[in-house]
């Protein structure tokens, strides 16, 4: 959650779920009352979640003043699971969760040590005392010292501009 990543994804997913529920309410005929009621219940759960997430996003946006951590992520995941079960659209929710899958893939080098990219603290931000904000933590390493899989992952992330690479005085 540094600088709005998890909260931002949750806001996009929650807004998408809200739009889906509203569209379904207009689409479903009146005689299917039980199916319509499940979408209304889904809306009742999603509106407060979206309001809380938007409020949190304001404080978690760059430069972040609040770090959400695992607690919010567990809460968001649980909310999405409950809403998709209550609303009877669990297969559609899988499509909405594709950004979370991409976030997981992006995190794999930090999560799995066998890839070989050093990470001092997974997802733990550094506190900047001068302005009271948090920022990303960084790892220092020489790409030539990485394992073959780590080199491949590093080259892919670097070419897609998903990592910030700063060269040292020796150019590495």
């Amino acid at each position: 959650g540094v600088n709005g990543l998890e909260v931002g994804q949750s806001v996009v997913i929650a807004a998408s779920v809200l739009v889906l529920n509203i569209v379904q309410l207009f689409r479903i005929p009146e005689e299917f009352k039980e199916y319509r009621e499940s979408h209304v219940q889904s809306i009742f759960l999603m509106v407060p979640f979206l309001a809380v997430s938007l409020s949190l996003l304001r404080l978690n946006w760059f430069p972040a003043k609040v770090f959400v951590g695992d607690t919010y992520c567990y809460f968001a995941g649980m909310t999405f699971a409950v809403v998709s079960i209550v609303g009877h659209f669990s297969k559609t929710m899988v499509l909405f969760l594709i950004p979370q899958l991409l976030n997981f893939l992006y995190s794999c080098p930090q999560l799995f040590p066998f890839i070989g990219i050093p990470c001092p603290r997974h997802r733990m931000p550094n506190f900047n005392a001068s302005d009271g904000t948090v920022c990303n933590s960084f790892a220092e390493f020489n790409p030539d010292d990485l394992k073959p899989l780590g080199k491949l992952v590093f080259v892919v992330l670097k070419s897609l501009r998903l990592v910030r690479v700063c060269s040292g005085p020796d150019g590495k």
Side-chain angles (χ1 to χ4, degrees):
V2 178
N3 297 329
L5 180 65
E6 279 86 0
V7 182
Q9 287 177 351
S10 295
V11 165
V12 169
I13 294 169
S16 301
V17 167
L18 198 57
V19 168
L20 171 74
N21 283 314
I22 292 169
V23 167
Q24 290 293 71
L25 283 177
F26 281 104
R27 231 180 109 248
I28 300 169
E30 291 289 332
E31 58 266 13
F32 297 104
K33 195 169 190 150
E34 188 175 312
Y35 190 59
R36 290 175 59 84
E37 184 65 29
S38 66
H39 283 285
V40 170
Q41 289 175 352
S42 179
I43 289 172
F44 285 161
L45 293 171
M46 204 41 35
V47 168
F49 175 78
L50 185 59
V52 166
S53 296
L54 285 169
S55 301
L56 179 59
L57 184 61
R58 184 172 173 263
L59 296 173
N60 190 240
W61 198 259
F62 180 81
K65 294 176 182 58
V66 173
F67 177 61
V68 295
D70 289 342
T71 304
Y72 175 80
C73 295
Y74 293 148
F75 168 66
M78 178 270 318
T79 303
F80 293 141
V82 167
V83 163
S84 69
I85 292 167
V86 167
H88 302 291
F89 56 89
S90 56
K91 292 177 188 130
T92 305
M93 182 59 80
V94 171
L95 297 174
F96 289 150
L97 293 177
I98 289 174
Q100 298 293 358
L101 175 65
L102 296 175
N103 184 29
F104 168 74
L105 293 175
Y106 180 67
S107 300
C108 281
Q110 298 172 350
L111 292 172
F112 303 116
F114 66 85
I115 294 176
I117 296 180
C119 180
R121 302 178 310 164
H122 172 66
R123 296 183 179 263
M124 289 299 295
N126 286 330
F127 179 70
N128 187 347
S130 63
D131 60 2
T133 59
V134 291
C135 61
N136 295 334
S137 57
F138 295 95
E140 294 182 24
F141 60 90
N142 185 346
D144 296 332
D145 297 336
L146 295 176
K147 297 176 186 175
L149 182 58
K151 285 180 184 178
L152 174 66
V153 170
F154 179 72
V155 167
V156 168
L157 291 176
K158 183 179 174 184
S159 35
L160 294 175
R161 296 183 182 192
L162 294 174
V163 294
R164 181 190 296 176
V165 179
C166 300
S167 300
D170 58 355
K172 292 188 176 191

